[in-house]
Amino acid sequence: MKRAMEAVWKGMLITLTVGVVFGSLSAIFAVPLSSLMSNNPEVLEFSRQKMVIISSTYFLTAINEILGVALKGMKRPIVPMVCTMIFMCAIRFPWVYLVFPLLKSLTFLYLIWPIGWVTSGITLCFFFFPTVKKLKRQFKAELEAEQKQKEINEFKAKLEAQYGKPFSELGGEELFPEFGIDVKKDEED
């Protein structure tokens, strides 16, 4: 679990670093990059707006992907699927047909991308952290059970060595309340 969490956090760090650097460069050089495709000032302005809004926040999609893949690896595949369907697809229709007509500008239209990414990321976090906490508890319980079983096996081996008989011939499990030994009966013998 520790290595999986390290991979998630390293992935986040790499994503943030690369995404912010290249997103910022794309936003800073939006006009020169757009001018490679068109020289029309109106087209350049629309392109600049879109690149500033979307390129500078695009790293959020990678964070969503990392959280989604981590949840899938923790056997929670439905959550990322529903988040993607709602926040990357379904939310855009009401935005375009109900909200966008209120303020008709392309800048306002472009805002749905980062809004969807942020709301999806927040929703994924609400599932990711409790799932990690639950898995840590499960792993801890499994490790404790393994440790207890190891102690029992060592104790049985010690008894077998001490009495020179297999554990089953010493009275087996029914005589041993905690580790497999009934101390009072053993003292009476």
Side-chain angles (χ1 to χ4, degrees), residues 30-31 33-51 106 110:
V31 174
L33 289 171
S34 299
S35 67
L36 295 172
M37 293 175 260
S38 175
N39 288 328
N40 184 332
E42 204 171 330
V43 171
L44 292 175
E45 179 54 25
F46 288 136
S47 176
R48 186 195 64 76
Q49 287 176 11
K50 186 173 184 179
M51 289 178 80
L106 279 177
Y110 297 148

Side-chain angles (χ1 to χ4, degrees), residues 1 16 20 26 48 120 128 141 148 180:
M1 187 68 183
L16 282 170
V20 168
S26 177
R48 186 195 64 76
S120 178
F128 177 77
K148 182 166 181 147

